[in-house]
Amino acid sequence: LNILLLQDQIEVREKLVFWLENTYGAFIREAASIEQAVELLKENDPPFDLVIYDYQKSPVKEFRAFRARIKELPCILALPGATAEMPAAITGNRTYVVNRNLFVEELQKTVGEMETSGTLKREQKETEFVRIRTKLLLSVCPLVSDIYIRLSETKFLKLFHEGAEFGVPELEKYTVRKGIEYLYVRNEEAGEFTQKYADELRFMLSARNSPLADSIRSSEAAFEVVQELGARIGFTPAVQKVIKTQVAITMRTMGSSPNLKDLLAKITRSQAEYSGAHSTLTAYLACAIASQAGWGSESTFHKLNLAAFLHDVTLSNSKLAACETIRDVEERAFTEQELKAFKEHPVQAAEVVKTFNEVPPDVDVIIAQHHERPGGNGFPRKLARTHIAPLSCVFIVAHDLARYLLSADPNLAQGAALRLFIEQARARYDSGQFKKALAAIENVTLSPP
Ligand SMILES: [Fe+2]
Ligand SMILES: [Fe+2]
């Protein structure tokens, strides 16, 4: 989204730029005067998608002439206290008037409306770069490909050459001092990165028994890599290898009879991005619940682990992955496209898994059913309880608990949070395998220590 922002006060402008960049990943060109704006319009590089006119020196008078200059470009006009829409005769076509006193809310609402109506197309520009969390570069050192830093939506600058050392000093320089969380590799070089990353994971698998915290962190990082690469270069055999190796690490850490009580006592709130943390926690909880309920076998754990790792893999927006129902998504500020992605993600992720070589049966079923509900009010198929597979039932309860624990009030003690979850969940999971899965949680939570 390329925006021309006309604002005459530097402090206001800086805040707006920051907000627009963070909210929309927009690329902003700033103008402090009409003349500057006109110059930037001439350059038009990259071409503008939207003009925001917040020129308080002349909020109305000069606007008409300016409106004529920007031709068909959609424009947001900020006016203090504007309430109703002003007639097009004053503002011109494709002008959206927002109340400046409620700037941020109104801006957000208007951009949303413009997107829904198709006035504004915010296509995620397909860059030729894959995003890599900066700290992961430690595990592919010496670097297997050139590494870039992102300057704007479309501009990247080479930072390290292939073969360069990337050590702790470099990591500190970029993450701690400069606050740069992600660096980039070219799409066509992502294969080498994946290969080396998979080797690194294999090394971790062979080297030692990983403690729970290490294994969880590794899984969260691997999830990010898989999600990003899957979207960029597809689920290639190298990406599949990362998944398999990570699942093997998780399985080994759990052991043959994962203990739910132990697990609940040990897990702490993750610092990772929501999706990775949520998928990892779901994996551990699903296996421990299955084990506690007496359904534990290596093949069951393997299925649950794979399903947990991949069930939301097509949802690139972490906030979307935190939603539970279609209603949750509809009630928040998501675009039509995001709503569609959410509705389809169980089926899409199941399709992804079907393309893998050597995946045990049922994994795609668990994934496809992970938003079905015992009351028949889930999605995408509104399956009746009796049509939901037993392993899916375990998964659904574990998934629900994982989501709950990650979003629970941080001041609430773990035991109190669990009791609250159980209280609320009893009505939902009151029969069949659902009830048994919940009973497993009740048994370890409510039993005396
Ligand atoms: Fe999920
Ligand atoms: Fe999901």
Side-chain angles (χ1 to χ4, degrees), residues 4 6 33-34 37-38 41 51-53 61-71 75:
L4 170 60
L6 177 51
S33 65
I34 302 255
V38 169
L41 281 164
V51 177
I52 298 180
Y53 186 96
K61 254 194 201 154
E62 294 192 47
F63 182 74
R64 280 188 71 185
F66 182 75
R67 173 71 257 187
R69 278 178 174 264
I70 62 176
K71 304 197 178 85
C75 177

Side-chain angles (χ1 to χ4, degrees), residues 181-406:
E181 259 188 278
Y182 293 96
L183 290 170
Y184 294 78
V185 300
R186 285 194 171 278
N187 282 353
E188 62 264 27
E189 289 177 348
E192 279 99 277
F193 172 85
T194 325
Q195 194 64 45
K196 193 152 177 194
Y197 182 62
D199 290 347
E200 182 65 24
L201 282 180
R202 268 216 300 271
F203 178 74
M204 184 171 166
L205 183 63
S206 68
R208 62 201 155 85
N209 225 344
S210 9
L212 180 66
D214 285 1
S215 178
I216 285 178
R217 237 175 293 143
S218 159
S219 171
E220 289 168 345
F223 179 87
E224 256 187 42
V225 170
V226 164
Q227 186 172 50
E228 175 76 10
L229 287 163
R232 293 285 179 189
I233 62 171
F235 291 86
T236 61
V239 176
Q240 291 179 36
K241 204 189 289 171
V242 171
I243 299 167
K244 276 180 204 156
T245 315
Q246 182 52 54
V247 165
I249 292 172
T250 308
M251 295 263 300
R252 194 194 54 186
T253 309
M254 284 177 184
S256 55
S257 54
N259 185 302
L260 182 60
K261 193 167 187 142
D262 265 10
L263 175 69
L264 289 171
K266 279 185 196 158
I267 46 171
T268 49
R269 187 164 283 248
S270 170
Q271 298 300 311
E273 261 207 50
Y274 182 84
S275 306
H278 159 80
S279 298
T280 302
L281 187 54
T282 301
Y284 278 91
L285 288 172
C287 293
I289 291 171
S291 177
Q292 178 73 29
W295 300 315
S297 75
E298 188 163 331
S299 93
T300 299
F301 296 153
H302 190 213
K303 290 172 186 175
L304 289 170
N305 260 313
L306 269 168
F309 196 84
L310 293 164
H311 74 283
D312 285 336
V313 79
T314 61
L315 287 178
S316 52
N317 183 342
S318 222
K319 292 201 183 93
L320 216 47
C323 292
E324 179 68 11
T325 62
I326 290 175
R327 191 137 162 228
D328 284 345
V329 179
E330 283 170 343
E331 280 170 358
R332 290 171 212 180
F334 289 109
T335 63
E336 285 294 310
Q337 272 163 318
E338 285 170 322
L339 177 61
K340 186 164 178 276
F342 185 75
K343 283 181 178 165
E344 291 172 357
H345 85 272
V347 172
Q348 279 176 347
E351 291 302 321
V352 164
V353 171
K354 282 189 203 159
T355 65
F356 289 10
N357 20 14
E358 313 158 32
V359 161
D362 306 334
V363 175
D364 60 316
V365 177
I366 301 171
I367 294 176
Q369 296 182 344
H370 82 270
H371 282 282
E372 299 293 347
R373 291 296 165 261
N377 52 348
F379 75 95
R381 296 178 60 198
K382 291 194 165 63
L383 288 176
R385 181 178 55 76
T386 46
H387 287 101
I388 302 176
L391 270 187
S392 303
C393 299
V394 176
F395 189 92
I396 290 164
V397 174
H399 181 257
D400 193 7
L401 179 59
R403 196 181 54 85
Y404 176 85
L405 289 177
L406 284 174

Side-chain angles (χ1 to χ4, degrees), residues 77-87 91 95-102 106 109-110 113:
L77 169 63
L79 288 177
T83 46
E85 273 181 41
M86 308 209 16
T91 59
T95 301
Y96 298 76
V97 182
V98 301
N99 180 357
R100 197 165 186 279
N101 305 343
L102 302 164
E106 293 246 315
K109 200 175 97 210
T110 308
E113 283 166 7

